[in-house]
Amino acid sequence: MRRSAYSRIDVLDIAFNVEGSQQAFAQLEPALKRIDAELATTVGDAFAALDKLVDRYRTSSNPSGYVLYGDLGASDKTRLTAAVKAVQEPLSRVASKVANA
């Protein structure tokens, strides 16, 4: 079986998912800043840290523009997982905060 040049571009998928989540958050952020400025700051800071980490895995040696997830070391995978969770937890509270305000 021939392997596709574009298979397993997982870090690219992470980058796109982060970007989509940031765009959704940007729509709610102005209201959230009025309701819970601390939560808005927490989410913004977590996104900034995750962006910085994902940028570390950019490369010109792969068509996706990123190192393949399978090529990352265990510590890199752990750092990515922790950074995603650091966004995920506070972000999960945003919609209900805004909706219930």
Side-chain angles (χ1 to χ4, degrees):
M1 176 186 253
R2 186 180 157 158
R3 183 175 166 167
S4 167
Y6 296 99
S7 64
R8 305 233 5 119
I9 51 175
D10 306 305
V11 178
L12 174 63
D13 293 334
I14 292 169
F16 281 153
N17 286 332
V18 170
E19 182 180 337
S21 296
Q22 285 174 312
Q23 289 174 1
F25 175 65
Q27 297 300 309
L28 298 173
E29 188 176 16
L32 183 62
K33 283 182 177 179
R34 290 190 301 272
I35 298 162
D36 190 337
E38 185 177 338
L39 180 57
T41 299
T42 298
V43 173
D45 290 350
F47 269 129
L50 180 55
D51 282 339
K52 186 176 179 180
L53 181 60
V54 169
D55 277 348
R56 289 177 55 188
Y57 302 109
R58 287 187 180 273
T59 183
S60 60
S61 65
N62 186 292
S64 75
Y66 290 91
V67 174
L68 297 178
Y69 187 81
D71 292 342
L72 297 178
S75 63
D76 292 311
K77 290 177 183 179
T78 299
R79 275 194 292 277
L80 269 173
T81 299
V84 168
K85 286 182 180 182
V87 171
Q88 182 182 24
E89 191 282 319
L91 188 61
S92 71
R93 299 180 301 182
V94 171
S96 67
K97 281 269 189 179
V98 173
N100 294 320

